[in-house]
Amino acid sequence: MPIRKSGDHRTHQLHGTQFHSYVAPSLGSRQLCAWRTDLGPGTVGAPHAVSHEEVFLVLQGSPAITLDEQRFQLSFGDVVLVPEAATVQLDNPGITTASLWVTTSAGLTAITADGGTITPPWTC
């Protein structure tokens, strides 16, 4: 279905973070994936390299992103383009939840710091 209401999503959890999947191949998309990421206060993300470009839009809070070892503090409305093969880590040093809208191409995989490969279920 091309329209998703606010409650029409699948929620996944990984590394203390919630991923609310709205658009993915399992939900009818052929090329795109989109989800909301909610980072609780004090969340420290796991560094990983991505196989496809991603776009992050900050919806609330003040998350921080480390992109290829360069750290940036973000705020509402900021947009980040994560290049293919970049190493990224998303943290929330704040005292309130930070939320971001994320889009990418179907088929995204992530390589973890220990060399493992993950296919995030919210992109399938």
Side-chain angles (χ1 to χ4, degrees):
M1 173 186 261
I3 297 174
R4 300 275 188 255
K5 297 290 187 172
S6 66
D8 294 343
H9 63 273
R10 295 181 184 156
T11 300
H12 305 273
Q13 294 193 22
L14 183 65
H15 303 298
T17 300
Q18 290 189 333
F19 302 87
H20 306 282
S21 178
Y22 289 87
V23 177
S26 64
L27 298 169
S29 172
R30 290 186 10 241
Q31 299 177 5
L32 298 174
C33 297
W35 62 90
R36 188 182 79 234
T37 299
D38 291 336
L39 301 153
T43 297
V44 176
H48 57 284
V50 293
S51 64
H52 293 51
E53 291 178 324
E54 290 182 298
V55 177
F56 296 178
L57 167 63
V58 179
L59 302 173
Q60 74 177 35
S62 298
I65 190 168
T66 303
L67 190 57
D68 286 335
E69 300 183 16
Q70 191 171 9
R71 188 169 174 89
F72 302 92
Q73 189 65 46
L74 304 173
S75 60
F76 172 78
D78 288 348
V79 175
V80 178
L81 170 63
V82 178
E84 176 182 350
T87 298
V88 62
Q89 178 176 332
L90 191 60
D91 303 321
N92 181 14
I95 59 171
T96 61
T97 297
S99 296
L100 300 95
W101 185 256
V102 184
T103 59
T104 191
S105 303
L108 175 92
T109 59
I111 299 174
T112 60
D114 64 4
T117 300
I118 297 173
T119 301
W122 52 93
T123 67
C124 299

